[in-house]
Amino acid sequence: MSPVLLALDLAGTFVFALSGALVGVRNRLDVFGVLVLAGLTGLGGGMVRDVLIGAVPPATLADWRYLLVPLVAALVTFRFHPGLGRIERHINYFDALGLGLFCVTGATKALQHGLNPLAAALLGMLTGIGGGVLRDVMAGRTPLVLRQEVYAVAALAGAAVVVVAWSAGYQAPWISAAGAAVCITIRVLALRYSWEIPRALSSD
Amino acid sequence: MSPVLLALDLAGTFVFALSGALVGVRNRLDVFGVLVLAGLTGLGGGMVRDVLIGAVPPATLADWRYLLVPLVAALVTFRFHPGLGRIERHINYFDALGLGLFCVTGATKALQHGLNPLAAALLGMLTGIGGGVLRDVMAGRTPLVLRQEVYAVAALAGAAVVVVAWSAGYQAPWISAAGAAVCITIRVLALRYSWEIPRALSSD
Amino acid sequence: MSPVLLALDLAGTFVFALSGALVGVRNRLDVFGVLVLAGLTGLGGGMVRDVLIGAVPPATLADWRYLLVPLVAALVTFRFHPGLGRIERHINYFDALGLGLFCVTGATKALQHGLNPLAAALLGMLTGIGGGVLRDVMAGRTPLVLRQEVYAVAALAGAAVVVVAWSAGYQAPWISAAGAAVCITIRVLALRYSWEIPRALSSD
């Protein structure tokens, strides 16, 4: 894996782990429970991707750098969160960062394993939404991805940037950065301006 | 995969995706959330099966026909559902169709991958119940399979038809149809006549 | 697999299946629903481990001994539980036994598949907590592992005993027993004396 991709993947793991740890602290879990939730959120999406593309055992399980990251995120959250009241609204922004980084690294890893562009874009999206879904299911919350917000579509857009560029022969680091930026921008704007995708009309 | 099996598998994907989309519309998700839930419900059971038999990456991820089907199911549901009130009771019937088709294709694919009859029957059942379990867990409902209804046992019966016939040397298309028919019949009769399997007696 | 490890693994499957069946009976599921929940709880953790280390199809799917065990556990629970009121507090003790046995067999199988010590310890923990997490998510309960109790840390300690001994060149049966005993002791003491790991301070 290129150093740029590794750095993005570790950064994505860190911010997703933070979002998991914040949910854990919010739910008043103990320090080890917070650590488990941070680890699942940070590493879960990538593991689902690795299992689906047959890259087992997942590299993250055996790489101390990937394991250190949720540990640090959990301890930082556990120790330094200034107050539960101020935390809640930040979770969605950390989550947006993780989403942007993972949709890019997920799509890239799938392309490197020879999957076709369509499958790679979907795996990028799945890598992005997987950790958060595990976090929310474990914590008994309706997964963020299913609420009325622009979420999975942002991850798909970010992954699509990488896949389209790859199909056209481009694989430079700035393309990864551009893909992540597209996803994060869409997601943050959606949060900021409460963008909504149409829902089905109710007739009752 | 034989054309008959492919057609059954696509049909099963469609009806399961419909059931997922209906749950999504009922929960007032936006159009992309409905699409994600339709995709998970339609493709989730088969992916779990593929991961367990080592057929990764799952063919469905890379085959545009499998990806088109939940898209169509979600859009159809989103656009044409006549009213939420009338939808609810239909979900269980769409679900029954998907269950019947998937228990057959799941068992067949497991047999083709060299699994023994017992494992193939269980994988057929798992393929049938997997998508619905993912749908219900994501939507925060108690999985249908755990409620007091004849459900997993119908899938196991349908899979058993295919496995027993295969063990006896028969692999014709009408056997697939018979297996699906057995499962769907059991399930629909159970819904219609509120069949119940005994529960443990409560002594308190 | 050595006879000792096989016996421990089957025993772990049985007690986890019992804990799943008890939750099922408590939730008033029918006999087949109880069986499904017993099977998922007893076999789920091992399947997650097998998928992550690439040992697919999981041996448990094709081995009648592993399939017989949840069946017996479910029927025993279904028939002989003396009263729902008395059951509840036993669930945690059966769960502790399963946790202790699975963290040991999970870590050992991971080591046998060539994973490094750190990954093997984590997979041991994951094997231990996986079945219970599936059980609780399916039953709509907050997973035990996330509640304020010493849980995953006990599994990690038990797995660490096996991994450290293996790294030092020891693989005798008594080491498996010692690892299980460490995990079970920690967990049972934690239940008995309501041990708690610190939670984050709330400032609001």
Side-chain angles (χ1 to χ4, degrees):
Chain A
M1 195 185 277
S2 76
V4 173
L5 211 58
L6 177 68
L8 289 178
D9 211 31
L10 287 171
T13 303
F14 185 73
V15 290
F16 259 136
L18 270 185
S19 85
L22 288 171
V23 170
V25 167
R26 189 86 183 99
N27 285 5
R28 301 191 59 68
L29 303 182
D30 64 42
V31 69
F32 207 80
V34 168
L35 182 52
V36 168
L37 202 54
L40 263 178
T41 312
L43 305 174
M47 283 191 191
V48 169
R49 174 202 62 208
D50 287 351
V51 163
L52 285 174
I53 64 179
V56 288
T60 49
L61 254 186
D63 187 332
W64 63 269
R65 290 171 300 193
Y66 280 98
L67 298 174
L68 191 64
V69 161
L71 181 65
V72 172
L75 293 180
V76 164
T77 306
F78 199 75
R79 178 69 188 75
F80 293 107
H81 75 92
L84 293 178
R86 272 175 282 168
I87 280 176
E88 187 125 57
R89 68 202 157 95
H90 298 312
I91 295 180
N92 285 335
Y93 289 96
F94 282 119
D95 194 88
L97 276 177
L99 191 69
L101 296 168
F102 273 5
C103 70
V104 164
T105 57
T108 306
K109 189 162 185 185
L111 289 168
Q112 288 171 340
H113 273 73
L115 273 77
N116 69 37
L118 184 55
L122 287 167
L123 270 172
M125 184 185 88
L126 209 60
T127 309
I129 69 178
V133 166
L134 287 176
R135 174 197 62 209
D136 293 343
V137 166
M138 292 286 290
R141 314 194 310 172
T142 306
L144 212 55
V145 70
L146 287 187
R147 292 184 225 155
Q148 299 158 40
E149 287 167 1
V150 174
Y151 191 84
V153 79
L156 190 56
V161 168
V162 174
V163 167
V164 168
W166 177 290
S167 301
Y170 297 98
Q171 303 181 36
W174 66 266
I175 290 173
S176 302
V182 164
C183 170
I184 295 167
T185 304
I186 294 176
R187 179 74 188 123
V188 166
L189 287 175
L191 281 171
R192 189 115 190 106
Y193 298 104
S194 301
W195 283 354
E196 286 192 11
I197 302 177
R199 290 176 292 162
L201 291 175
S202 169
S203 59
D204 50 10
Chain B
M1 195 187 275
S2 75
V4 173
L5 211 58
L6 177 68
L8 288 178
D9 211 31
L10 286 171
T13 303
F14 185 73
V15 290
F16 258 137
L18 270 186
S19 85
L22 288 171
V23 169
V25 167
R26 188 86 183 99
N27 285 4
R28 302 191 58 69
L29 303 182
D30 65 41
V31 69
F32 206 81
V34 168
L35 182 52
V36 168
L37 203 52
L40 263 178
T41 313
L43 305 175
M47 283 193 190
V48 169
R49 174 202 61 208
D50 287 350
V51 163
L52 284 175
I53 63 178
V56 289
T60 48
L61 255 186
D63 188 331
W64 63 267
R65 291 172 299 193
Y66 281 97
L67 298 174
L68 192 63
V69 161
L71 182 65
V72 171
L75 294 179
V76 164
T77 306
F78 200 76
R79 178 70 188 77
F80 293 107
H81 76 92
L84 292 179
R86 271 175 283 166
I87 280 176
E88 188 125 56
R89 66 202 159 95
H90 298 311
I91 294 180
N92 285 336
Y93 290 96
F94 282 119
D95 194 88
L97 276 176
L99 191 70
L101 297 168
F102 273 6
C103 70
V104 164
T105 58
T108 306
K109 189 162 184 185
L111 289 167
Q112 288 170 340
H113 273 72
L115 274 77
N116 68 38
L118 183 56
L122 286 168
L123 270 171
M125 183 184 87
L126 208 60
T127 308
I129 70 178
V133 166
L134 287 176
R135 174 197 65 210
D136 293 343
V137 166
M138 291 287 289
R141 313 194 311 171
T142 305
L144 212 54
V145 69
L146 287 187
R147 291 183 227 155
Q148 298 159 40
E149 286 166 2
V150 174
Y151 191 85
V153 78
L156 190 57
V161 168
V162 174
V163 167
V164 168
W166 178 290
S167 301
Y170 297 97
Q171 303 180 35
W174 66 265
I175 290 173
S176 302
V182 164
C183 170
I184 295 166
T185 305
I186 295 177
R187 178 75 188 123
V188 167
L189 287 175
L191 281 171
R192 190 113 189 109
Y193 298 104
S194 302
W195 283 354
E196 287 191 9
I197 302 178
R199 290 177 291 161
L201 291 175
S202 169
S203 59
D204 50 10
Chain C
M1 194 187 275
S2 75
V4 173
L5 211 58
L6 176 68
L8 288 178
D9 212 31
L10 286 171
T13 303
F14 185 73
V15 289
F16 259 136
L18 270 185
S19 84
L22 288 171
V23 170
V25 167
R26 188 85 184 100
N27 286 4
R28 301 192 58 71
L29 302 182
D30 65 41
V31 70
F32 206 81
V34 168
L35 182 52
V36 168
L37 202 53
L40 263 179
T41 311
L43 305 175
M47 282 192 191
V48 169
R49 174 202 60 208
D50 287 350
V51 163
L52 285 175
I53 63 178
V56 288
T60 48
L61 255 184
D63 187 332
W64 62 269
R65 290 172 299 194
Y66 279 97
L67 298 174
L68 191 65
V69 161
L71 182 65
V72 172
L75 294 180
V76 164
T77 306
F78 200 76
R79 179 69 188 77
F80 293 108
H81 76 91
L84 292 178
R86 271 175 283 167
I87 280 176
E88 188 123 57
R89 68 201 157 95
H90 299 311
I91 294 180
N92 285 335
Y93 289 97
F94 283 120
D95 194 88
L97 276 177
L99 191 70
L101 297 168
F102 273 6
C103 70
V104 164
T105 58
T108 306
K109 189 161 183 185
L111 289 167
Q112 289 170 340
H113 273 72
L115 274 77
N116 69 38
L118 184 55
L122 287 168
L123 270 172
M125 183 185 87
L126 209 59
T127 308
I129 70 179
V133 166
L134 287 176
R135 173 197 63 209
D136 292 343
V137 166
M138 292 286 289
R141 315 194 308 172
T142 305
L144 212 54
V145 70
L146 288 187
R147 291 184 226 155
Q148 299 158 40
E149 286 167 1
V150 174
Y151 192 84
V153 79
L156 190 57
V161 168
V162 174
V163 167
V164 168
W166 177 289
S167 301
Y170 298 96
Q171 303 180 36
W174 66 266
I175 289 173
S176 302
V182 164
C183 170
I184 295 166
T185 303
I186 294 176
R187 178 75 188 122
V188 167
L189 288 175
L191 281 171
R192 190 113 189 108
Y193 298 104
S194 301
W195 284 355
E196 286 192 10
I197 302 178
R199 289 176 293 161
L201 291 176
S202 170
S203 59
D204 51 10

